[in-house]
Amino acid sequence: MSGKANKDLYSTFVTSGPGSFIASRVGLPQPPTLRRYSPSQTPLSGPVVLGGEGRLVEPLREILAAADGYDLISNNTSGRSADKLGAAVFDATGITDPAGLDALFEFFTPVMRSTGSSARFVVVGTHPELCRTPGEQIAQRALEGFTRSLGKELRNGATAQLVYVHPKAKTGLSGVESTLRFLLSGKSAYVDAQVIRIGEADATAPKDWDKPLAGRVALVTGAARGIGATIAEVLARDGAHVIAADIPAAGEALSETANRVKGTALPLDVTSPDAGKTIAAHVLERHGGLDIIVNNAGITRDKLLANMDEARWNSVIGVNLLAPQRLVDDLVAAKALRAGGAVIDVSSIAGIAGNRGQTNYGTSKAGVIGLVNAYAPILAKEGITINAVAPGFIETAMTAAIPLATREVGRRMNSLQQGGQTVDVAETVAWYASPASNAVTGNIVRVCGQSLLGA
Ligand code: NAD
């Protein structure tokens, strides 16, 4: 993938033989090598243990037993205790009062001592605001503090997530499977300590889990380079026909992306008033409609607010916030976005934590979160999902331009002690884009290795 170029020379050095020796001697951070997805290897580095006594443990067991590549062992690991675990999944939906939270301690404490590299921890609960009693609501809310703290204790590239499942989700749990497969694999390598909400909608499993986007048409804005180019590649890998859009000046780089993914190039400034109409006309004429739109195009024009000029403010708000909203409005109005489709927006941890010199950018990226919140119920009526990724420090041309000291702080101040790769953002987008994720809407998932910023 084009986004693989890792400019993190420090990581390269401390994971080499002599570098590792020196780093451990003087107590320097030693970022682990994250296990990322490859179709030729098993999704996890070892077996997965499943525990808990809630409404979901049996359906989860069925999903894991039927899916290829998972070696499932139950709560009772008798005879297998020497194995290094690849993952631990705990159904906490049965915890209906705060005193019952000791079940977390009982399940996870022994597990902590036998985890392999890049292990996955997943706690499954019920949306707290939909619980039937105050005691259950308190207990379910408490799971968030447990999972976030667990993420900070884990080592060797291991991650922890919390998945809240709607109390009315069907027992077959089809809406949960795509999320479980994403979390229990290298596709979620840089997603850490996130809270994901799954609704009650039923989903149909794709014919082939390696090509969940077969037959789908996807448009990615800002696809000439960086994160957008890798999103185009990953969506194409998963079977989609990709329309790569970027400003006309991106010319050759845009054509290169389109050629690489065997898709189409569409030169287009997302801020032009007729951008939505142009896309609608293009997809209706050539494909009969669009299934996925990824609003990835984004810019920064940093200045302290005291020195901010109107052009900097307006251009950032225009590209990052006004365009994603207008494109969706225009595509829906033109009936170009098909039912069963997905809108995916790109926010940023700067939209959560704020950033000095980025009042314009922080406003736009927090606005994107507002856009997802506001449009999720509106688009649900059309059978369309909307979610956002909020990347942290991702190794791109944009972050390579940051002065060294600031760059090193951004890179290391997270639980995985390194920056993410563009593919980490792209895999998260692909999970949202899958028709099997149609119960996933209104989510903001950070791809930031549990960055301390905005935590
Ligand atoms: P990038 O600058 O490498 O790529 C952005 C692309 O968007 C470029 O190809 C550019 O030509 C295109 N673009 C800009 N304005 C456009 C317009 N008006 N119309 C069409 N295309 C336009 O940036 P990146 O690092 O790949 O970032 C991609 C997205 O991820 C952005 O929304 C950015 O804010 C967000 N993000 C990046 C990071 C990071 O660490 N790199 C962190 C958080 C969020």
Side-chain angles (χ1 to χ4, degrees), residues 221-229 231 245-250 268-272 295-301 318-320 323 346-350 361 365 389-399 402 422 425:
T221 69
R225 65 176 203 189
I227 294 172
I231 292 172
D246 209 301
I247 47 172
L268 174 100
D269 183 335
V270 293
T271 62
S272 90
N295 286 308
N296 162 79
I299 57 168
T300 51
R301 296 286 182 273
V319 176
N320 298 0
V346 179
S347 178
S348 164
I349 57 167
Y361 187 75
K365 294 297 186 182
V389 283
F393 186 102
I394 306 296
E395 303 285 354
T396 61
M398 187 167 129
T399 47
I402 300 172
T422 56
V425 182

Side-chain angles (χ1 to χ4, degrees), residues 31-264:
T33 302
L34 305 184
R35 190 176 194 271
R36 289 191 168 85
Y37 169 79
S38 154
S40 59
Q41 66 176 14
T42 54
L44 294 166
S45 62
V48 46
V49 62
L50 176 65
E53 292 177 346
R55 67 190 159 98
L56 303 179
V57 66
E58 284 313 318
L60 289 170
R61 190 186 311 284
E62 278 167 32
I63 290 173
L64 288 170
D68 280 345
Y70 291 108
D71 174 14
L72 180 64
I73 53 181
S74 73
N75 240 353
N76 172 8
T77 57
S78 55
R80 304 279 306 264
S81 53
D83 282 357
K84 284 281 184 202
L85 289 173
V89 179
F90 184 76
D91 176 14
T93 59
I95 304 179
T96 52
D97 65 79
L101 289 163
D102 63 353
L104 295 170
F105 156 78
E106 278 165 23
F107 176 77
F108 282 102
T109 305
V111 164
M112 293 297 283
R113 301 190 196 108
S114 59
T115 49
S117 63
S118 290
R120 297 282 178 268
F121 288 74
V122 178
V123 178
V124 184
T126 301
H127 299 223
E129 68 282 5
L130 300 177
C131 287
R132 284 157 304 175
T133 64
E136 186 181 5
Q137 181 167 354
I138 296 166
Q140 292 299 314
R141 180 60 181 80
L143 300 177
E144 203 174 314
F146 176 78
T147 314
R148 290 192 197 279
S149 301
L150 182 58
K152 291 187 176 176
E153 289 190 13
L154 293 170
R155 291 288 171 265
N156 289 328
T159 60
Q161 327 287 348
L162 172 60
V163 180
Y164 283 134
V165 181
H166 196 288
K168 289 193 184 142
K170 311 279 182 311
T171 40
L173 276 187
S174 56
V176 175
E177 182 163 359
S178 75
T179 299
L180 200 64
R181 282 175 178 261
F182 169 64
L183 296 178
L184 297 183
S185 77
K187 291 181 175 179
S188 57
Y190 200 61
V191 176
D192 197 6
Q194 295 307 289
V195 181
I196 293 166
R197 285 165 178 265
I198 299 182
E200 57 183 308
D202 244 343
T204 309
K207 278 202 196 92
D208 178 356
W209 279 101
D210 288 331
K211 295 272 176 218
L213 303 180
R216 304 252 144 181
V217 179
L219 183 127
V220 183
T221 69
R225 65 176 203 189
I227 294 172
T230 311
I231 292 172
E233 290 170 18
V234 171
L235 296 185
R237 176 204 71 191
D238 282 359
H241 173 84
V242 177
I243 303 162
D246 209 301
I247 47 172
E252 210 173 302
L254 181 63
S255 309
E256 279 168 19
T257 303
N259 289 341
R260 229 177 12 253
V261 303
K262 299 188 173 55
T264 321

